[in-house]
Amino acid sequence: MQLITIFSLTFPAFPWFGMDIGGTLVKLVYFEPVDITAEEEQEEVENLKSIRRYLTSNVAYGKTGVRDVHLELRNLTMCGRTGNLHFIRFPTQAMPRFIQMGHDKNFSSLHTTLCATGGGAYKFENDFRTMADLELLKLDELDCLIRGLLYVDRVSFNGHPEGYYFQNPSDTQSCVKMPCTLDNPFPMLLVNIGSGVSILAVYSENNYKRVTGTSLGGGTFLGLCCLLTGCETFEEALEMASKGDSTNVDKLVKDIYGGDYERFGLQGSAVASSFGHMMSKEKRDSISKEDLARATLVTITNNIGSIARMCAVNEKIERVVFVGNFLRINTVSTKLLAYAMDFWSKGQLRALFLEHEGYFGAVGALMELLKTTEDP
Amino acid sequence: MAECVRLDSSTSSHTMDKSITLPPDEIFRNLENAKRFAIDIGGSLTKLAYYSTVQHKVAKVRSFDHATKEAASDKLYEISVQEEVTARLHFIKFENAYIETCLDFIKDHLVNTDTKVIKATGGGAHKFKELIERKLGLKVDKEDEMTCLIKGCNFVLRNIPHEAFVYAKHADSEFRFQTTQPDIFPYLLVNIGSGVSIVKVESEDKFERIGGSSIGGGTFWGLGALLTKTKRFDELLQLASKGQHTSVDMLVKDIYGGSYGSLGLTGDLIASSFGKSATADKEFSKEDMAKSLLHMISNDIGQLACLYAKLHNLSRVYFGGFFIRGHPVTMHTITYSINFFTKARPQLSVFISFSLINGEVQALFLRHEGYLGAIGAFLKGAEEDNPNQYSWGENYAGSSGLMSVSPDMNPMQRARSGTFDMLEMDRLERQLVNLPLLQDPSSYIPDTMDLTEDALAREYWLYCFEEALDGVVKRAVASQPDMPEAAQRAEKFRQKYRHKLQTLRQQPFAYGSLTVRSLLDTREHCLNEFNFPDPYSKIKQKENDMALKYYQKAVKSLEELSWEQRQFALVRGVLAGNVFDWGAKAVSDVLESDPEFGFEEAKRQLEERPWLVDSYDQWFERLKGPPHKCALFFVDNSGVDIILGVMPFVRELLSRGTEVVLASNSGPALNDVTNGELQILTERIAAMDPVIHRLDKVLAMVVRERQTDLVIIEGMGRAIHTNYYAMLSCESLKMAVIKNSWLADRLGGKLFSVVFKYEVPAGKPSQHSAALSPL
């Protein structure tokens, strides 16, 4: 490590950002160097200092920007420099304001490259150019996702494993979260649940394919919840879902057959028809918003689980890693996915989750910044 | 889940006229002889099935005894009309609201049944159990829904040609029918009820539910009702067909500003269903939300179906269930989804490391999808009669056919929910098999022109059949001179067939692909319906008698020719004989005249060589080579055609040492010679001509045993309308005279143009090159 420090005479100019502009959320990672020498400090331009101060001294930015303090990776060495990696998110809707801020803070004078991935890197490229005089380095989101994920797993979460799984997923009472690392991670089926869902079969850092995707993702959960319950945020929707009972909304096998459907080995408690009870007016009149939110969550989660499982079988991969911001503060879904993988595969498949859920794309983008100067 | 949706309490109050809109005896036909009932009660529709027997008249021919032959004038055979009893399956579909009225009607008309049990399936079977038992006095015996569904599916796939179709919303013809495959297994059945069941069917009795999804028709209905406050399923679909999903869904271009090029995802692709509705400050229209929901569910089901199809390596995927049932909107979205997911190739990053699945998945739908459960339940109860042992054919006269429910195509679609839909299937005398000489039985299509797709041709042929209707009615009456009510029956026939033609004009896809053959079949079914088994029997008899008188003279004059001249004269004879066709308007004048004169006249009318399609030279060269082992000759008309045209040709083949098998229709069609008539004719000719021997065996067996190496197909119907493109594994000769100016025009010829198509299958060199000419 020391050798690298000595020989990497050039590292990219600060500030170091990696940005992932998704359909719903922008994920921003910021490397805060803590090894700044007095010399450096002197040379450091004022707006660079002010950016650092603004980002590191706040946990909320504007009305909607949030720093996930609990995810901060401390004392990380990147490109020979030591620092803390901060994880910040804000809604994609706020992108124009963000770009405006870049303009106001005269970001373009900093000679840094803004590495961006996600669809927004393409969509907002022109706005960055015209509004803030900034050139984006656009990066493929799946490349970044995999690179970032492998990196974070490698450096670990401040000494703790980045990954976790659920022990006894089929038993709600004894189901416990267990930490784990992804040693020997390949092959893995990577299920990225953002607004929509992408499913990748990953064979090595540079060898992967997008197997399929589905439009029923986090955006669908939130979109439907907003329409059905009048809620406005993901947090609100999840809060309601945690209190609801989906069996008031969904029709179960036992609602149709009175018990198990033995001819086909289906348990009575399995969902036969999502929202199936809602065909009846009486039932529609008797359910709560919480029940609806829960049913929406369960429907979307089970569907993702089912497609992921099919892909795993088709691709002959046993390890399924779920990431993406849909899983943020969403233990209902993580447990359900763990259960679904285990139950339907009769224990063959294992669902794994990662603590930095939705930030891997942004981390991957940052690494690209460091790579561009590291290997000229 | 296969389960059908129970009625919403709000929908059941939907007021409906409980009177039956059609006279019930035209719906529940043949109840007097009905035995063995089955019923499938779904969420809104009831399907009733029963087995019955139909007594109808058949025309038989019988040779006069030798002893009385002298006395019985100069007639070769006598015609008698006999009663025959055949089996028929009846399936009737109606709204649940009519169930009580229908049960009452059945009870009143059920005469001699010893049936004690009614097989029942469907989600509503339980609800109506008590009512059925009380009304009919039959014990309700419940059968597993999925088992019934699959039994029914196997049955229709095996027995009904053009049962399955591909749906193409924007194509010239909405429905593209699939030809029946000799082997229907394995296939995937995706049943979209309130949930989805995906079943892999491997054989008649072996099937397995390999997967499913809870996101199905119930999700569309339930979630749709919540989002739009619209209660009825049909109304939700209506809403959806008017909406724009792009205002609710987040598309790839909403995220990327354009396409996601490196993954091949186009900008219009949905990235997140309902992704744009995650906002409090916007209102969304009911139509748009319904559309978005429809896309979400259809895409999801399509994706899952593709994943299962690929995993099990199956390319035939049939979709059914109430979500699909005749709804063009859902058939379209499911088809779209399947096309997307089957064509989406996995994207590669650096290394190619996947196994390519070649078989593309196709979304198939079934014409009688709504009947599967009832058919299956019926079959379960009828196992002792073993209906699967027989071949069954759709009776076009008694079946309603597929109705377009596409609102722009059929403005009457709302009326659908007040009518009765019927399917009738007749037991065929014998099992139908493909001719073993077909090169590729799985791709054999017995129709040259698909009138469903060819609007001009359809227009013409429908007009033609309508024009010919008066003549057919006249013949029908004349064929039964001793029956005074024949005129009345003939009039009923006219009305029925005209109505069928009108329906087909509106809905050409009603019975699968519309073809000249199916138009003819429909006419025969309608004639049978009104007990006109063979309107042309008397005419055929007269023609045969007259032509027979000239047989020996014709043979003699041919024998006087040189070998070379004779070969050509024989071919011209077959062609001229084929001009004698009552089905062709242009020749009816010739038919009324003296056969000898007529035959000569016909020869003069024939096109001079080179013919429109002319491989006579190759045929002639071939004749110089060794004789064929066995020729199979599909003959056409009676009278001059068979006796003066075909027989001398056959005689020549026989003298060369070739065995000849004559194949003719089993039942009557216009003046086509039937098998019964042909047997008498050959017997008679054999008696006066030692060269001709009679052969009579089951065709397919004969063809194999005798090592048939030549197939001759004669006549417009057989050689042009149906088998023109049929590829045979042996040499073949297709001969016809085009007696229809429109068709001649189409094919680039004139009236009385000749098609003489001699073909040698690729890979089998024509033998003449190896043989030395004997002359």
Side-chain angles (χ1 to χ4, degrees):
Chain A
M1 275 326 236
Q2 271 185 326
L3 278 176
I4 293 166
T5 317
I6 293 163
F7 288 107
S8 64
L9 296 170
T10 58
F11 49 83
F14 288 121
W16 293 356
F17 282 114
M19 186 155 52
D20 176 5
I21 312 168
T24 311
L25 282 177
V26 180
K27 283 76 68 176
L28 188 71
V29 294
Y30 168 66
F31 183 83
E32 171 208 1
V34 293
D35 56 355
I36 296 178
T37 58
E39 233 171 296
E40 270 178 322
E41 182 114 38
Q42 260 182 351
E43 278 175 28
E44 204 173 31
V45 290
E46 195 45 46
N47 59 353
L48 186 56
K49 276 193 194 112
S50 94
I51 288 169
R52 188 167 69 233
R53 234 176 286 122
Y54 175 68
L55 290 177
T56 56
S57 62
N58 290 305
V59 292
Y61 314 94
K63 272 188 205 147
T64 49
V66 175
R67 181 153 63 89
D68 283 312
V69 186
H70 67 286
L71 292 180
E72 184 179 328
L73 293 177
R74 290 183 295 275
N75 287 315
L76 210 58
T77 307
M78 290 188 101
C79 222
R81 299 301 300 258
T82 304
N84 301 328
L85 199 56
H86 297 277
F87 296 86
I88 297 159
R89 61 185 152 87
F90 60 89
T92 306
Q93 282 174 339
M95 236 5 236
R97 251 181 298 147
F98 179 79
I99 298 172
Q100 187 59 46
M101 191 176 77
H103 171 261
D104 298 344
K105 302 233 170 193
N106 198 13
F107 210 88
S108 59
S109 66
L110 293 171
H111 305 293
T112 184
T113 313
L114 200 49
C115 284
T117 187
Y122 297 80
K123 187 181 177 182
F124 296 104
E125 182 184 22
N126 203 40
D127 292 343
F128 271 102
R129 191 179 294 139
T130 55
M131 288 166 66
D133 192 27
L134 279 167
E135 268 320 306
L136 293 186
L137 179 61
K138 301 193 298 295
L139 300 164
D140 181 80
E141 62 175 295
L142 300 181
D143 288 345
C144 289
L145 170 67
I146 292 167
R147 198 180 305 125
L149 181 151
L150 293 171
Y151 174 78
V152 175
D153 179 60
R154 206 157 54 228
V155 300
S156 87
F157 187 8
N158 300 326
H160 300 286
E162 168 68 14
Y164 64 90
Y165 66 96
F166 288 96
Q167 209 167 40
N168 308 319
S170 46
D171 180 4
T172 37
Q173 298 303 308
S174 61
C175 170
V176 271
K177 182 174 163 179
M178 298 292 287
C180 68
T181 54
L182 284 182
D183 323 305
N184 206 357
F186 308 114
M188 71 169 148
L189 194 78
L190 183 56
V191 183
N192 185 28
I193 317 173
S195 312
V197 182
S198 273
I199 299 180
L200 319 175
V202 187
Y203 301 99
S204 77
E205 178 155 356
N206 297 312
N207 177 16
Y208 71 88
K209 66 177 179 191
R210 183 179 190 272
V211 179
T212 190
T214 166
S215 69
L216 283 85
T220 314
F221 164 64
L222 186 54
L224 278 175
C225 266
C226 290
L227 292 173
L228 293 172
T229 70
C231 72
E232 289 180 30
T233 64
F234 183 67
E235 287 77 3
E236 238 182 294
L238 276 185
E239 174 66 22
M240 277 201 281
S242 67
K243 293 180 198 148
D245 180 357
S246 61
T247 62
N248 293 332
V249 179
D250 295 341
K251 206 180 248 191
L252 307 185
V253 169
K254 67 178 172 212
D255 295 327
I256 299 168
Y257 294 97
D260 298 351
Y261 188 10
E262 279 160 26
R263 174 73 181 77
F264 285 136
L266 288 173
Q267 287 186 319
S269 59
V271 183
S273 173
S274 297
F275 287 86
H277 277 322
M278 297 297 93
M279 290 183 276
S280 134
K281 189 177 183 306
E282 292 146 45
K283 288 267 168 63
R284 281 201 296 275
D285 292 341
S286 72
I287 39 98
S288 69
K289 287 182 174 185
E290 286 76 13
D291 293 343
L292 287 173
R294 178 66 166 229
T296 310
L297 188 61
V298 168
T299 301
I300 300 292
T301 307
N302 272 335
N303 190 59
I304 295 169
S306 160
I307 293 172
R309 188 180 60 84
M310 282 303 298
C311 290
V313 176
N314 265 335
E315 301 298 324
K316 301 180 181 62
I317 297 176
E318 287 179 4
R319 179 168 24 197
V320 187
V321 181
F322 293 92
V323 296
N325 266 322
F326 173 66
L327 301 174
R328 193 172 66 81
I329 57 168
N330 186 358
T331 42
V332 173
S333 290
T334 46
K335 283 187 177 173
L336 200 52
L337 286 170
Y339 167 75
M341 288 300 111
D342 182 73
F343 180 82
W344 292 106
S345 72
K346 300 186 176 72
Q348 284 294 298
L349 297 175
R350 174 183 270 191
L352 293 179
F353 305 91
L354 299 169
E355 299 285 359
H356 286 82
E357 289 128 359
Y359 282 109
F360 301 115
V363 173
L366 170 65
M367 292 175 67
E368 188 65 31
L369 170 75
L370 307 184
K371 196 173 110 193
T372 48
T373 41
E374 224 172 323
D375 6 275
Chain B
M1 292 293 88
E3 170 262 1
C4 286
V5 179
R6 294 195 181 91
L7 266 186
D8 194 359
S9 55
S10 56
T11 29
S12 57
S13 63
H14 177 76
T15 51
M16 209 163 332
D17 184 9
K18 301 234 172 181
S19 66
I20 291 173
T21 50
L22 285 173
D25 53 343
E26 285 185 18
I27 300 159
F28 300 101
R29 309 197 317 159
N30 283 317
L31 266 180
E32 328 62 88
N33 302 312
K35 55 171 189 173
R36 211 157 277 132
F37 286 84
I39 196 162
D40 172 12
I41 307 175
S44 52
L45 293 174
T46 297
K47 283 77 68 174
L48 181 78
Y50 56 91
Y51 170 99
S52 188
T53 47
V54 208
Q55 199 167 39
H56 60 85
K57 293 189 165 51
V58 283
K60 295 272 185 202
V61 288
R62 199 167 55 106
S63 200
F64 283 112
D65 294 346
H66 281 286
T68 57
K69 197 168 154 190
E70 258 73 10
S73 74
D74 51 353
K75 282 201 172 91
L76 176 60
Y77 56 84
E78 63 176 344
I79 305 163
S80 62
V81 172
Q82 294 172 12
E83 295 284 335
E84 203 178 66
V85 174
T86 55
R88 182 175 283 174
L89 304 180
H90 293 261
F91 303 98
I92 299 123
K93 186 159 72 181
F94 51 87
E95 297 222 358
N96 287 356
Y98 299 124
I99 198 161
E100 202 163 338
T101 323
C102 291
L103 291 175
D104 282 336
F105 182 85
I106 293 164
K107 188 185 169 50
D108 294 347
H109 291 78
L110 212 52
V111 190
N112 45 0
T113 183
D114 44 6
T115 307
K116 298 273 181 288
V117 170
I118 180 167
K119 290 281 177 189
T121 188
H126 183 73
K127 189 174 158 189
F128 291 99
K129 181 173 185 281
E130 196 270 331
L131 182 74
I132 298 166
E133 294 192 332
R134 182 160 47 84
K135 291 274 181 192
L136 296 184
L138 300 175
K139 191 182 163 295
V140 170
D141 190 4
K142 269 208 83 175
E143 286 293 336
D144 174 68
E145 241 177 289
M146 195 54 77
T147 310
C148 292
L149 209 58
I150 284 157
K151 265 197 172 307
C153 192
N154 294 340
F155 187 78
V156 295
L157 285 175
R158 218 187 354 250
N159 287 290
I160 304 186
H162 298 155
E163 175 60 30
F165 61 89
V166 166
Y167 185 78
K169 188 183 175 188
H170 300 295
D172 286 343
S173 56
E174 237 178 320
F175 306 90
R176 280 214 315 280
F177 296 95
Q178 308 290 296
T179 49
T180 315
Q181 299 289 316
D183 190 7
I184 60 169
F185 304 111
Y187 66 86
L188 210 59
L189 180 67
V190 180
N191 192 54
I192 315 174
S194 51
V196 181
S197 277
I198 301 178
V199 184
K200 178 185 179 181
V201 186
E202 282 175 285
S203 71
E204 191 55 52
D205 301 305
K206 193 175 174 209
F207 64 88
E208 186 192 355
R209 184 186 191 274
I210 54 171
S213 167
S214 67
I215 300 186
T219 315
F220 177 71
W221 194 344
L223 202 43
L226 287 169
L227 291 172
T228 68
K229 313 273 179 274
T230 304
K231 292 166 197 158
R232 285 174 60 89
F233 180 72
D234 284 358
E235 286 167 25
L236 274 169
L237 283 180
Q238 289 276 335
L239 278 183
S241 60
K242 285 182 258 164
Q244 285 292 329
H245 76 104
T246 50
S247 59
V248 184
D249 289 341
M250 188 184 281
L251 310 184
V252 166
K253 67 178 171 206
D254 292 320
I255 302 176
Y256 272 82
S259 65
Y260 185 178
S262 64
L263 286 184
L265 304 177
T266 62
D268 288 327
L269 205 67
I270 304 170
S272 175
S273 295
F274 288 90
K276 279 186 196 157
S277 67
T279 164
D281 39 67
K282 233 171 116 186
E283 289 284 313
F284 297 90
S285 80
K286 288 179 178 184
E287 287 82 1
D288 293 354
M289 288 188 289
K291 177 74 161 221
S292 180
L293 186 62
L294 177 67
H295 273 298
M296 175 179 105
I297 288 166
S298 299
N299 284 339
D300 195 56
I301 296 169
Q303 177 172 30
L304 222 52
C306 279
L307 284 168
Y308 279 104
K310 283 181 181 177
L311 186 65
H312 294 265
N313 203 16
L314 298 169
S315 58
R316 272 176 283 181
V317 184
Y318 300 101
F319 286 87
F322 86 82
F323 184 69
I324 294 292
R325 200 147 303 160
H327 299 298
V329 191
T330 54
M331 289 196 285
H332 174 65
T333 50
I334 285 282
T335 302
Y336 183 87
S337 167
I338 291 284
N339 288 346
F340 174 78
F341 285 107
T342 192
K343 274 166 194 132
R345 291 272 172 246
Q347 297 301 313
L348 311 180
S349 177
V350 178
F351 301 105
I352 296 170
S353 62
F354 72 103
S355 57
L356 222 152
I357 296 121
N358 287 317
E360 286 202 349
V361 182
Q362 227 181 9
L364 297 166
F365 304 95
L366 300 170
R367 273 205 293 143
H368 299 101
E369 191 276 323
Y371 286 111
L372 302 187
I375 295 174
F378 171 80
L379 293 173
K380 278 293 264 185
E383 265 156 4
E384 61 191 74
D385 281 349
N386 214 348
N388 269 331
Q389 225 172 34
Y390 302 98
S391 280
W392 298 82
E394 184 175 5
N395 173 21
Y396 296 140
S399 301
S400 312
L402 187 68
M403 292 292 146
S404 174
V405 285
S406 165
D408 14 314
M409 275 198 67
N410 185 5
M412 286 160 59
Q413 79 130 336
R414 297 305 306 173
R416 197 169 59 108
S417 63
T419 53
F420 286 70
D421 192 88
M422 291 173 292
L423 165 65
E424 291 182 6
M425 296 187 73
D426 284 324
R427 192 167 79 199
L428 306 179
E429 281 171 61
R430 44 185 76 78
Q431 196 134 26
L432 297 181
V433 293
N434 274 324
L435 183 68
L437 295 171
L438 282 172
Q439 257 185 32
D440 179 12
S442 63
S443 68
Y444 172 65
I445 301 171
D447 301 291
T448 308
M449 236 186 293
D450 185 345
L451 304 181
T452 335
E453 310 229 337
D454 189 335
L456 280 173
R458 177 169 73 237
E459 198 67 17
Y460 173 77
W461 285 110
L462 285 170
Y463 165 79
C464 236
F465 276 87
E466 212 163 302
E467 280 288 285
L469 193 51
D470 281 344
V472 178
V473 169
K474 207 174 91 192
R475 293 285 155 214
V477 178
S479 72
Q480 298 179 352
D482 336 327
M483 301 192 186
E485 28 61 71
Q488 209 181 341
R489 263 187 294 126
E491 196 46 46
K492 281 187 182 165
F493 154 75
R494 183 210 301 274
Q495 283 172 14
K496 180 128 198 173
Y497 189 55
R498 178 170 290 155
H499 181 255
K500 288 278 165 194
L501 290 175
Q502 279 160 359
T503 308
L504 287 166
R505 191 163 274 142
Q506 300 297 318
Q507 327 242 18
F509 44 77
Y511 301 99
S513 286
L514 184 67
T515 61
V516 174
R517 188 170 56 97
S518 74
L519 283 168
L520 284 166
D521 284 349
T522 310
R523 185 162 71 188
E524 291 309 319
H525 292 175
C526 290
L527 281 167
N528 275 330
E529 177 88 20
F530 296 101
N531 271 320
F532 292 108
D534 191 357
Y536 286 82
S537 55
K538 290 253 175 343
I539 290 171
K540 287 189 288 184
Q541 185 186 32
K542 197 175 121 204
E543 284 173 355
N544 287 334
D545 283 339
M546 285 170 82
L548 212 50
K549 288 188 189 138
Y550 295 93
Y551 173 74
Q552 273 167 317
K553 197 177 165 191
V555 169
K556 193 159 172 279
S557 67
L558 284 163
E559 278 185 331
E560 281 161 6
L561 299 172
S562 70
W563 184 84
E564 209 157 308
Q565 287 171 327
R566 189 164 66 244
Q567 302 316 311
F568 187 61
L570 285 168
V571 166
R572 266 175 60 90
V574 172
L575 292 167
N578 194 238
V579 170
F580 288 76
D581 186 342
W582 281 98
K585 272 169 56 188
V587 293
S588 20
D589 307 343
V590 186
L591 283 168
E592 308 280 1
S593 60
D594 174 70
E596 191 182 21
F597 168 76
F599 193 41
E600 291 310 313
E601 181 61 26
K603 284 181 191 164
R604 269 192 295 280
Q605 298 241 23
L606 280 187
E607 183 190 19
E608 288 299 318
R609 287 194 66 200
W611 294 320
L612 182 59
V613 177
D614 192 339
S615 23
Y616 178 74
D617 292 342
Q618 288 94 310
W619 171 245
F620 180 69
E621 283 305 310
R622 171 64 187 87
L623 286 178
K624 292 178 188 167
H628 295 92
K629 283 197 194 69
C630 174
L632 171 61
F633 199 139
F634 289 91
V635 300
D636 191 5
N637 305 308
S638 44
V640 173
D641 188 342
I642 178 76
I643 297 167
L644 301 182
V646 173
M647 282 302 182
F649 188 95
V650 167
R651 191 177 185 276
E652 182 77 12
L653 287 173
L654 291 170
S655 11
R656 282 168 56 83
T658 302
E659 283 189 296
V660 181
V661 180
L662 295 179
S664 62
N665 282 1
S666 51
L670 293 167
N671 68 328
D672 285 12
V673 62
T674 62
N675 199 256
E677 291 158 354
L678 185 61
Q679 288 195 22
I680 293 171
L681 288 177
T682 28
E683 229 163 62
R684 179 77 183 98
I685 291 170
M688 49 190 194
D689 186 342
V691 183
I692 309 253
H693 307 281
R694 216 185 105 230
L695 269 181
D696 172 30
K697 268 205 178 163
V698 180
L699 186 61
M701 218 166 71
V702 170
V703 164
R704 267 188 222 104
E705 272 174 12
R706 311 273 161 149
Q707 297 179 296
T708 303
D709 51 359
L710 173 66
V711 171
I712 304 170
I713 305 175
E714 184 216 3
M716 239 175 28
R718 287 169 188 77
I720 298 178
H721 290 320
T722 53
N723 290 301
Y724 194 66
Y725 298 115
M727 300 295 284
L728 295 152
S729 60
C730 64
E731 291 169 56
S732 65
L733 194 54
K734 292 166 188 167
M735 290 188 272
V737 179
I738 302 169
K739 291 151 288 188
N740 170 303
S741 53
W742 182 87
L743 183 64
D745 211 41
R746 247 279 157 125
L747 298 171
K750 313 188 292 287
L751 195 62
F752 299 123
S753 282
V754 168
V755 170
F756 187 89
K757 198 178 184 193
Y758 170 62
E759 289 168 303
V760 179
K764 283 197 184 167
S766 150
Q767 286 165 334
H768 79 265
S769 54
L772 283 170
S773 157
L775 293 175

